[in-house]
Structures are given as C-alpha cells and as structure tokens.
Amino acid sequence: MNTEIIKLDKDHIDADKLRLAAEILRNGGRVAFPTETVYGLGANALDENAVKGIFAAKGRPSDNPLIVHIAKKESLKELAVEIPPETWKVVDKFWPGPLTVVLKKSAAVPGVITAGLDTVAVRMPSHPVALELIRMAEVPVAAPSANTSGKPSPTRAKHVIEDLEGKIEMIVDGGAAKVGLESTVLDMSVYPPVILRPGWVTPRQLSEVLGEVRVDPAITGAGDKKAVPKSPGMKYTHYSPDADLIIVQGEVERVVDKIGQLAKEYMGKNIRVGIMATEQTKEQYRADCVISMGDRERPETIASGLFDTLRKFDEDRVELILAEAIDHDGIGLAVMNRMKKAAGNKVMVV
Ligand code: TXA
Ligand code: MG
C-alpha cells in the first residue's frame, strides 16, 4: 500500500490538506496523526472494519482495547452511559489534554474497540491538528499509539514512518509531540477512581479535583507482585528497544559509578553499550553511545525525550542499554513506569 505523507504546521493548519485526511477516516481508512502526547493511528471508531484495520497494521493483540478520541466534551455522552457527575469536573479541568477517562460504554461503541469490556476509554486531545482532524471527520476516532505493537511509542512522524509506512493510508506530520508519554488513564467507572496508567496528569493533580484517587497497585509495585493490571495494555511487553535494558536506581553518584563500572565490563566483552544519561551526568561516561534523556531537575524534559532516546539506541545498533533511574515523583512516576516496561523490570538498586 502507498502511504501518503503530508506535513502540516500546527499553528497554521492548511485545511485543504487536512480535509484529505478526514476523508480517508470517513471512508474507513487509517491515518496516523500527531497529538500532544504521542502520535496516534486513527480510524472511524463507529466502523468495525476500519477499527480492525488498526489492529492489523500495528500487529496489536485483539484483547487490548483502544482509546476513542473526540473533539468536543459533549461527545462523551454518545459514547458512555451512567457518567458519574465528578467526571465533568475532571474533564473540565484537563480537557482538551493528556487525560483519558474510562466509563461504562454506550451501545454505540463497537465491541472491537473495547475488546469485549463493558467500559470505553475516551480522550479529547489538545493538539490543534488532532482536534481539527476529528472535527472535520465528524466521527469519533479510535487511536492507539502509532507504533508497531511492542515498540516505543512514536513522538515524531519519522518514528511512525519507520513502523507503519506501507501499512496505512496516510501519515500527517505535525512535528514532535510535546508531552512525549501517553495520556494518564483514569478509571471513572469505579469509586474511588483508579489511575490505570500514569501520565502527564499526576495523581496529585487528579486528587485536587476528585478527592481520593487510587493508583493501580500494578503500577506502584505495591501489594502482590503478580497483580494483574486492570488496563489490559499494561500487561504486554512494551516500549521495547531491540537492545537489553537495565535500569540502575539509587543515589545519583552511586548510580554513575555503577553504570560506569558495568559499561567497562560489558565493553570489555565486546558488547556494544549505550548509556541513557541525564544532562547532569552525561559528561561522566565513556561508552559506545551516550545519550542524555533530559534534565533531572525538569523531569518533563525526560518525558518528552524518553521514547526518542530508546529508538536512537536501536539506530546505533547498541546491544545493551544502561539507564539512570529518576525520582518517582510527579511525572517521574510515568517516566519510570515506561522505563521499567522497556527494561522488562530489570532494575538494579545500588
Ligand atoms: O496518549 C494517548 O493515550 C495515546 C494518544 C494517541 O492519544 N494513545 C494511546 O493508546 O496511548 P494505546 O492504545 O497505546 O493505549 C491505550 C491504553 C492501553 O493500555 C489500554 O489497555 C487502555 O488504554 N484501555 C483502553 N480502553 C480501556 C478500558 N475500557 N479499560 C481499561 N483500559 C483501557
Ligand atoms: Mg501504545
């Protein structure tokens, strides 16, 4: 299949170009588009065959449900039923933006989207290209992250092209995603609400609006080590670079020492080693490839650079990646959640 690639400036959207993308969606095709979190792979959420085409292009297991994207808050009423009143408080505060709410689904939502669950995940993105595209398509848009299943999520059009060119009808290039990590998924179908996937919107910000909010124990690592995450997607291997990844956690100086020592050891065995460092520490390492994820004092910079960094190591054919852990506070919870998944939970505490 020929994949058409179009480029749009998010501050001056060429409506004629974007209309081509909206037409494809309306006709049952697939379009990858930028959002503020990561790129999404969209199709008409009300068209079962179109939605099946998303699973096929990504190689996504059919038991992993999709998020439905809307362009105005009121559309939530068409997709969900028994909406608890606090839901409106939280969407008024964080929509449009990087928050997904899970609610009891309406009859309008096809079972392929929800993987047979009786709930549906809905989000209104803030990226102007995403919003305008959904508005023009005049249908809700189902969209997982636009990567091959299991790979790091795409934060640039180039990542989408690597994974999906030839498999979908169109890719809209709207520049780099600002947030860099997928949305916070909040289950509002239960009381108290539960965070199923940490993201840019933090537990504290949600508690300020909703009062008590729980975090799924499968994320915090509290309780049973084998706790099954309620968000089906969280159980899969995710975000995996081709290389093995080991996280080193502890006080920064000790982490730097340990990583330096491990790098030397593995390079001595002729293994190509990459180091995921931070602005504060990058000068202290010697390895085949050293990349700074961002600034430790500004974890949002690490969030936006994380997936891109993982893909760069693959490009560089690194065989082992040694990564510095960061603090689990605020956005750090989401960063460490993705990093641990990429590492298959290999964390070395020093
Ligand atoms: O930021 C984002 O959310 C991006 C952009 C494109 O909007 N999308 C995204 O989609 O990350 P995806 O498919 O990669 O992740 C969706 C997550 C999965 O972990 C899935 O299991 C969960 O949301 N999910 C979807 N529907 C659900 C439901 N009804 N109940 C619980 N979890 C659900
Ligand atoms: Mg994904």
Side-chain angles (χ1 to χ4, degrees):
M1 168 179 291
N2 175 46
T3 303
E4 196 172 342
I5 300 169
I6 62 169
K7 225 179 165 118
L8 286 178
D9 175 352
K10 70 175 172 39
D11 300 317
H12 305 277
I13 297 174
D14 180 336
D16 290 333
K17 272 196 190 167
L18 194 57
R19 203 161 289 121
L20 299 173
E23 284 297 322
I24 292 175
L25 289 177
R26 261 217 300 277
N27 294 329
R30 293 150 298 182
V31 175
F33 60 94
T35 84
E36 72 280 16
T37 57
V38 300
Y39 272 73
L41 173 58
N44 177 357
L46 305 178
D47 177 341
E48 208 174 307
N49 276 328
V51 174
K52 283 185 182 154
I54 293 179
F55 285 90
K58 276 183 64 96
R60 181 177 175 109
S62 61
D63 65 347
N64 190 6
L66 306 179
I67 296 172
V68 181
H69 296 67
I70 56 178
K72 53 179 201 286
K73 289 177 201 162
E74 298 72 49
S75 305
L76 186 55
K77 292 184 202 149
E78 289 151 35
L79 302 167
V81 292
E82 297 170 29
I83 303 175
E86 311 84 74
T87 309
W88 297 108
K89 278 208 264 178
V90 83
V91 302
D92 280 342
K93 174 89 183 175
F94 297 107
W95 279 4
L99 176 73
T100 295
V101 291
V102 172
L103 292 159
K104 200 118 191 246
K105 86 175 199 67
S106 78
V109 181
V112 276
I113 288 195
T114 62
L117 297 175
D118 62 356
T119 52
V120 62
V122 185
R123 165 163 123 81
M124 178 177 171
S126 65
H127 195 291
V129 172
L131 272 183
E132 192 57 18
L133 174 62
I134 302 163
R135 205 187 57 74
M136 279 182 176
E138 296 178 326
V139 288
V141 175
S145 48
N147 51 290
T148 300
S149 221
K151 286 274 146 209
S153 293
T155 54
R156 299 165 183 274
K158 145 179 191 286
H159 304 155
V160 183
I161 294 168
E162 278 163 19
D163 282 15
L164 297 177
E165 189 173 25
K167 296 182 177 168
I168 59 175
E169 285 76 5
M170 184 180 270
I171 297 171
V172 180
D173 179 350
K178 202 175 96 228
V179 172
L181 297 179
E182 308 86 343
S183 60
T184 305
V185 177
L186 178 69
D187 188 355
M188 290 297 299
S189 74
V190 293
Y191 187 83
V194 179
I195 295 172
L196 301 179
R197 179 174 75 181
W200 183 261
V201 179
T202 63
R204 184 182 313 171
Q205 285 176 303
L206 290 169
S207 300
E208 278 166 15
V209 180
L210 293 169
E212 188 185 354
V213 173
R214 299 204 174 140
V215 180
D216 188 333
I219 296 166
T220 54
D224 186 352
K225 276 271 177 278
K226 292 195 194 82
V228 178
K230 209 187 145 200
S231 179
M234 301 299 279
K235 73 173 184 267
Y236 293 106
T237 324
H238 251 85
Y239 319 119
S240 317
D242 296 335
D244 279 335
L245 172 58
I246 300 173
I247 300 168
V248 183
Q249 183 175 323
E251 196 245 313
V252 181
E253 267 175 44
R254 296 171 68 126
V255 167
V256 171
D257 280 350
K258 187 72 192 177
I259 289 181
Q261 188 190 322
L262 288 170
K264 202 167 161 197
E265 195 180 302
Y266 282 100
M267 284 160 68
K269 295 184 203 161
N270 269 327
I271 290 173
R272 193 164 170 77
V273 174
I275 296 178
M276 256 162 101
T278 46
E279 284 305 301
Q280 283 81 355
T281 59
K282 63 181 184 193
E283 309 292 349
Q284 300 178 55
Y285 293 117
R286 293 286 163 272
D288 297 302
C289 179
V290 179
I291 304 178
S292 163
M293 301 178 278
D295 182 343
R296 282 188 165 271
E297 304 296 318
R298 292 165 52 230
E300 66 279 10
T301 62
I302 296 182
S304 67
L306 180 69
F307 290 143
D308 189 42
T309 306
L310 288 173
R311 282 180 183 257
K312 279 186 184 145
F313 284 118
D314 280 349
E315 269 169 37
D316 205 285
R317 307 250 170 258
V318 160
E319 297 168 88
L320 174 71
I321 305 169
L322 302 166
E324 291 178 12
I326 65 162
D327 288 342
H328 285 64
D329 306 333
I331 184 75
L333 180 67
V335 170
M336 289 311 299
N337 169 263
R338 305 309 192 274
M339 214 195 271
K340 282 181 190 163
K341 286 194 160 295
N345 269 322
K346 289 190 286 293
V347 183
M348 190 180 276
V349 180
V350 291

